[in-house]
């Protein structure tokens, strides 16, 4: 953004009447704390306004002046009962006013975070600044700017409580990152009699983290832009912690902060998958033991194809030699035998032995579940006592070649949905059989080439989804740029040359701007020295013993005199005489 140099334009120091001044309609500062204003008013009664406020001739009402900077001093002067105020009248265009107001307000020690949020928003909406420009201008990191901007997404009720001091900045940053529905829920809970307000930051973060959704565990492909065209791919979404590390610097996981979007993509993806299952397996049985709000939508979708879904906890039993079925709860292929084909006694409402038969069936099912729990306990104990225990598990520190099982496990861990297609096609395996017994099929067809291909696909996935960071400053992108250089040496060289040209032009513009500002400083210094040389420094304030040169050194302008007193001392003397 370029503006003319204000120091080379008209600058006039005048004592103006308060009724000649009009507050700026675009001032980023919106809140003026009453107690602080009253304290400033008391100070003004004693010492006057020591630093003139900045004004310009009003762009519409030419006989009035618009306050550019100093509205707080103006308001406090009114409270103090003053009639006039010291001003520095400048010749400024709208762009210069905007920038002065923004920077002046952001430089205050007591600036509220919401004022910063609105100021940054105005800067972006003006079209003259980028996030990088704002960061450079206020000398703050991008994370600071992004988190402040996000505060504009707080619902009105939370903004009001934030401004009233009901919760602090840490709470506000956390709340601004979640959906409006979640914000409303938290606000409502904070007002309940049994509630704990907004709680501590730790408590709030724990509550919000419970709703976080891990994209690495998502059912859908996070790079698919078709699942929700408006939201686009998760890999480029600003509500994703991994693709927006500037806003979510504290998270290493790949988390989604938009529960509605995540649910929508999951539902759409499940419908696509179910549609594929139905079309490719005409005789397949669809089952769902415990229908709930999520599976009922899938059941309705299946029924629209004329497919009946087998429901109920005792309607079927999983059998290795049973019929092909698709479980809508876990979205996986299984083998089942319908309950009416089993040797287990049929249970009907009119059966006099119904209770005994139900008990027998329940015992059998509990026994099956107990065996499942036994296996879970074995696995859990193995993790706790062996894997996490370095003394018992030296193999994890070995530098020997990987075993076959380790290589197959690595394939299993790293492979994605897109690997399933080429693997099933290359090895002649039905995709549903593959998903049902993935590990054993990988083991059966394993080759070193399979592992290398899956690893390279994984590297591509990480490259696509990784946050854009400075590869000279951060280690992770440094590793990725080396891979890219190895894959595409000519293209990376061309990209680097293109960006170097842009950088050179930007640096040249910045150097010109710096030179202009340095010249501006010299001009202002020369103006002050010229003023000093033309001033009679022998005239001293009768009260504070300061002369015009003292005022120029302290405030950049000569003193405003009222006979033998400078203006602040004159106002103080008048108050003493009146009292």
């Amino acid at each position: 953004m370029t503006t003319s140099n204000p120091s080379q334009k008209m600058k006039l120091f005048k004592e103006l009447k308060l009724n000649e001044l009009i507050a700026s309609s675009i001032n980023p500062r919106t809140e003026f704390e009453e107690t602080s204003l009253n304290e400033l008013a008391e100070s003004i009664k004693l010492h006057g306004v020591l630093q003139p406020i900045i004004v310009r001739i009003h762009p519409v009402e030419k006989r009035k002046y618009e306050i550019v900077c100093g509205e707080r001093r103006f308001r406090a002067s009114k409270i103090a009962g003053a009639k006039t105020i010291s001003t520095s009248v400048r010749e400024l265009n709208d762009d210069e006013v905007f920038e002065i107001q923004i920077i002046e307000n952001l430089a205050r020690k007591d600036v509220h975070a919401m004022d910063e949020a609105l100021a940054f928003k105005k800067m972006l909406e003006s079209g003259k600044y980028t996030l990088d420009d704002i960061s450079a201008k206020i000398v703050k990191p991008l994370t600071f700017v992004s988190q402040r901007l996000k505060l504009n997404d707080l619902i009105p009720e939370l903004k009001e409580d934030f401004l009233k001091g009901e919760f602090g900045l840490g709470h506000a940053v956390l709340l601004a990152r979640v959906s409006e529905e979640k914000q409303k829920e938290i606000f409502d809970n904070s007002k309940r009699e049994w509630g704990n307000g907004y709680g501590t930051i730790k408590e709030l973060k724990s509550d919000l983290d419970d709703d976080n959704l891990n994209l690495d565990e998502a059912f859908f492909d996070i790079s698919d832009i078709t699942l929700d065209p408006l939201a686009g791919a998760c890999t480029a979404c600003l509500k994703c912690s991994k693709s927006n590390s500037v806003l979510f610097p504290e998270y290493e996981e790949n988390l989604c902060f938009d529960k509605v979007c995540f649910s929508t993509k999951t539902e759409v993806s499940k419908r696509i998958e179910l549609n594929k299952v139905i079309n490719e397996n005409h005789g397949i049985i669809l089952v769902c033991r415990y229908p709930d709000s999520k599976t009922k939508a899938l059941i309705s979708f299946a029924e629209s194809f004329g497919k009946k879904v087998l429901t109920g906890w005792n309607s079927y039993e999983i059998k290795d030699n049973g019929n092909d079925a698709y479980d809508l709860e876990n979205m996986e292929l299984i083998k089942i035998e319908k309950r009416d084909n089993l040797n287990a006694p049929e249970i009907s409402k009119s059966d006099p032995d119904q209770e005994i038969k139900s008990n027998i069936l329940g015992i059998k099912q509990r026994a099956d579940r107990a065996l499942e729990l036994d296996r879970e306990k074995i696995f859990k104990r193995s993790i706790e006592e062996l894997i996490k225990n370095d003394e018992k598990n030296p193999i994890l520190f070995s530098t020997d070649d990987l075993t076959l099982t380790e290589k197959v496990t690595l394939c299993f861990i790293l492979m994605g949905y897109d690997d399933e297609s080429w693997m099933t096609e290359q090895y002649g395996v039905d995709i549903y059989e593959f998903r049902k017994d993935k590990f054993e099929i990988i083991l059966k067809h394993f080759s070193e080439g399979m592992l290398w291909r899956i690893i390279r696909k994984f590297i591509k996935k990480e490259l696509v989804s990784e946050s854009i960071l400075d590869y000279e400053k951060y280690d992770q992108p440094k590793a990725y740029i080396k891979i890219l250089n190895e894959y595409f040496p000519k293209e990376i060289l061309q990209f680097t040359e293109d960006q170097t040209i842009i950088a050179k032009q930007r640096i040249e513009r910045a150097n010109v701007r710096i030179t202009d500002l340095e010249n501006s400083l010299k001009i202002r210094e020369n103006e002050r020295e010229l003023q000093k040389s033309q001033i009679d420094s022998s005239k001293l304030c009768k009260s504070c013993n300061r002369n015009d040169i003292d005022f120029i050194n302290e405030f950049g302008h000569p003193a405003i005199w009222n006979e033998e007193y400078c203006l602040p001392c004159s106002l103080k003397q008048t108050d003493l005489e009146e009292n």
Side-chain angles (χ1 to χ4, degrees), residues 95-276:
D95 286 341
E96 291 167 336
V97 168
F98 178 78
E99 183 162 321
I100 289 172
Q101 286 182 331
I102 293 287
I103 302 304
E104 191 268 350
N105 273 288
L106 295 179
R108 297 187 343 254
K109 291 182 180 179
D110 63 339
V111 63
H112 195 281
M114 277 310 308
D115 285 335
E116 291 177 318
L118 291 169
F120 295 160
K121 185 180 180 184
K122 285 184 178 181
M123 292 176 81
L124 281 181
E125 289 176 345
S126 73
K128 299 181 176 71
Y129 302 89
T130 64
L131 281 177
D132 288 328
D133 293 334
I134 298 172
S135 175
K137 192 164 284 290
I138 65 171
V139 197
K140 295 283 187 181
L142 277 173
T143 296
F144 177 92
V145 178
S146 294
Q147 289 186 340
R148 289 297 190 274
L149 275 168
K150 194 63 180 172
L151 296 180
N152 290 298
D153 290 341
L154 288 171
I155 61 174
E157 297 90 336
L158 288 179
K159 284 182 183 176
E160 184 178 346
D161 274 6
F162 184 29
L163 291 169
K164 289 193 301 187
E166 296 288 329
F167 55 82
L169 177 59
H171 290 76
V173 170
L174 293 174
L175 290 168
R177 298 192 304 203
V178 300
S179 65
E180 291 186 6
E181 293 79 9
K182 185 64 178 178
Q183 290 186 41
K184 187 67 168 64
E185 176 189 329
I186 291 172
F187 172 78
D188 290 340
N189 289 340
S190 74
K191 304 305 176 186
R192 301 187 193 282
E193 291 182 7
W194 46 263
N196 185 30
Y198 291 98
T200 64
I201 291 179
K202 185 176 181 181
E203 290 169 342
L204 177 61
K205 189 174 187 302
S206 177
D207 178 27
L208 296 179
D209 283 350
D210 288 342
D211 286 343
N212 289 346
L213 302 158
N214 195 327
L215 287 167
D216 290 335
E217 299 173 0
F219 179 80
F220 54 88
D221 180 359
I222 62 174
S223 63
D224 192 337
I225 63 173
T226 64
L227 297 176
D228 187 342
L230 289 177
C234 303
T235 50
C237 179
L238 297 180
K239 296 178 182 179
C240 165
S241 62
K242 199 166 185 180
S243 60
N244 191 6
S245 58
V246 171
L247 183 60
F248 305 100
E250 73 272 32
Y251 291 101
E252 293 183 2
E253 305 96 322
N254 193 13
L255 302 178
C256 170
F257 287 82
D258 191 334
K259 191 173 183 179
V260 174
C261 179
F262 189 96
S263 298
T264 298
K265 288 186 174 183
T266 300
E267 183 178 345
V268 171
S269 185
K270 284 185 174 181
R271 289 190 178 196
I272 292 172
E273 180 69 13
L274 180 55
N275 182 47
K276 189 175 180 182

Side-chain angles (χ1 to χ4, degrees), residues 562 567-579:
N562 186 359
L567 179 63
C569 293
S570 171
L571 295 171
K572 183 177 178 182
Q573 190 70 20
T574 301
D575 288 341
L576 290 173
E577 290 171 358
E578 290 177 354
N579 293 332

Side-chain angles (χ1 to χ4, degrees), residues 166-413:
E166 296 288 329
F167 55 82
L169 177 59
H171 290 76
V173 170
L174 293 174
L175 290 168
R177 298 192 304 203
V178 300
S179 65
E180 291 186 6
E181 293 79 9
K182 185 64 178 178
Q183 290 186 41
K184 187 67 168 64
E185 176 189 329
I186 291 172
F187 172 78
D188 290 340
N189 289 340
S190 74
K191 304 305 176 186
R192 301 187 193 282
E193 291 182 7
W194 46 263
N196 185 30
Y198 291 98
T200 64
I201 291 179
K202 185 176 181 181
E203 290 169 342
L204 177 61
K205 189 174 187 302
S206 177
D207 178 27
L208 296 179
D209 283 350
D210 288 342
D211 286 343
N212 289 346
L213 302 158
N214 195 327
L215 287 167
D216 290 335
E217 299 173 0
F219 179 80
F220 54 88
D221 180 359
I222 62 174
S223 63
D224 192 337
I225 63 173
T226 64
L227 297 176
D228 187 342
L230 289 177
C234 303
T235 50
C237 179
L238 297 180
K239 296 178 182 179
C240 165
S241 62
K242 199 166 185 180
S243 60
N244 191 6
S245 58
V246 171
L247 183 60
F248 305 100
E250 73 272 32
Y251 291 101
E252 293 183 2
E253 305 96 322
N254 193 13
L255 302 178
C256 170
F257 287 82
D258 191 334
K259 191 173 183 179
V260 174
C261 179
F262 189 96
S263 298
T264 298
K265 288 186 174 183
T266 300
E267 183 178 345
V268 171
S269 185
K270 284 185 174 181
R271 289 190 178 196
I272 292 172
E273 180 69 13
L274 180 55
N275 182 47
K276 189 175 180 182
V277 169
I278 293 172
N279 288 333
E280 293 181 1
N281 302 270
H282 297 293
I284 198 164
I285 304 168
L286 302 181
V287 299
C288 180
R289 281 196 193 277
Y290 305 103
D292 57 17
S293 57
K294 295 178 181 178
T295 52
K296 281 180 179 178
L298 285 174
I299 292 172
S300 297
F301 181 73
E303 289 175 346
S304 68
F305 286 84
K307 296 291 290 185
K308 182 70 176 174
V309 179
L310 194 61
T311 60
W313 66 273
N314 65 341
S315 58
Y316 64 91
E317 183 173 319
I318 296 176
K319 291 281 187 179
D320 290 339
N321 58 350
N323 298 312
D324 288 337
Y326 192 76
D327 181 3
L328 299 187
E329 290 176 87
N330 300 307
M331 299 299 288
E332 64 181 6
L333 287 163
I334 58 175
K335 294 281 190 179
I336 70 159
E337 187 169 342
K338 291 184 181 180
R339 181 64 61 186
D340 55 11
N341 292 335
L342 298 176
N343 294 324
E346 193 73 28
I347 299 173
S348 67
K349 293 182 180 179
S350 59
D351 190 342
D353 300 324
Q354 177 179 354
E355 184 176 350
I356 296 174
K357 293 177 181 178
S358 295
N359 287 336
I360 293 171
L361 184 58
I363 291 170
K364 288 182 177 180
Q365 290 177 335
R366 286 193 295 273
D368 289 340
R369 179 57 184 152
L371 289 173
E372 291 178 9
L373 291 173
D374 289 337
R375 291 189 289 271
E376 290 174 11
K377 288 174 182 177
I378 293 170
F379 186 81
K380 183 178 180 181
R381 186 177 177 187
S382 301
I383 297 296
E384 294 295 331
E385 297 185 18
L386 300 178
I387 296 298
K388 292 184 179 180
N389 188 331
D390 293 342
E391 293 180 1
K392 290 187 177 180
N393 136 45
I395 188 65
L396 292 186
F397 299 92
S398 169
T399 57
D400 295 342
D401 287 343
L402 295 177
T403 66
L404 176 60
T405 304
E406 286 175 320
K407 291 176 181 178
V408 172
T409 302
L410 190 58
C411 286
F412 185 82
I413 292 171

